[in-house]
Amino acid sequence: MKQLLSKYQEPINYLVFGVLTTLVNIGVFYIFNSIFGINYLVSNGISWIASVVFAFYTNKYFVFKTPNNSNKAFIKELLLFIWFRLLSGVIDMSLMYVMVSLMNLDQNISKIIVQVIIVILNYVFSKLFIFKKSKGD
């Protein structure tokens, strides 16, 4: 069992922190949209920013565990992370607009559906493009 957990530690950690990031995203969205009555797209933008900040640190230090070899490497990871999160943020906003404004689906249900898609997409981006380890790692 220990070998199995060790073998799949990265995807398990991503799943755990992905769920936490999703909870941050949905929680912040709910607070700004449902409690404060702020427009769903503005609330979605605020929730996106909060979840990106949370996700960068948890992905870097707990999921992919990339070393801090230099400030340059850290900045490169951060900028790539922001770039790919902007891309998934555009996808997030577009899907929310389509589901809520065009399909007339519930805002909170739409948010949950969209987040499942975004979590999968962000793992692929992080694994393949952002937190790449050198061949010796």
Side-chain angles (χ1 to χ4, degrees):
M1 183 68 160
K2 189 175 181 181
Q3 245 182 344
L4 191 61
L5 286 175
S6 178
K7 182 178 179 180
Y8 295 106
Q9 179 181 5
E10 184 180 282
I12 291 168
N13 285 347
Y14 186 82
L15 180 62
V16 169
F17 287 106
V19 167
L20 291 174
T21 299
T22 301
L23 290 174
V24 167
N25 191 300
I26 292 170
V28 171
F29 176 81
Y30 178 81
I31 289 166
F32 281 88
N33 181 251
S34 297
I35 294 175
F36 295 139
I38 295 174
N39 174 276
Y40 77 93
L41 290 175
V42 174
S43 296
N44 197 50
I46 294 167
S47 70
W48 179 84
I49 291 168
S51 64
V52 166
V53 170
F54 180 82
F56 176 74
Y57 286 100
T58 58
N59 277 266
K60 176 163 183 53
Y61 296 110
F62 300 107
V63 176
F64 298 103
K65 300 177 183 174
T66 55
N68 272 335
N69 294 333
S70 68
N71 287 338
K72 182 179 176 183
F74 180 86
I75 300 228
K76 180 182 177 188
E77 283 180 340
L78 178 61
L79 292 176
L80 281 170
F81 193 84
I82 291 169
W83 166 250
F84 281 106
R85 286 311 195 263
L86 282 170
L87 178 59
S88 67
V90 167
I91 294 167
D92 186 328
M93 285 288 207
S94 299
L95 290 173
M96 284 295 290
Y97 177 77
V98 167
M99 294 174 84
V100 174
S101 294
L102 301 180
M103 297 173 67
N104 294 317
L105 299 175
D106 179 76
Q107 295 173 11
N108 291 308
I109 299 294
S110 296
K111 184 65 181 166
I112 292 168
I113 293 167
V114 168
Q115 284 313 294
V116 170
I117 296 165
I118 296 302
V119 165
I120 294 167
L121 189 60
N122 283 337
Y123 179 79
V124 172
F125 289 158
S126 293
K127 179 74 175 166
L128 298 179
F129 303 113
I130 302 166
F131 298 110
K132 298 186 296 185
K133 294 181 181 175
S134 63
K135 294 198 191 300
D137 291 341

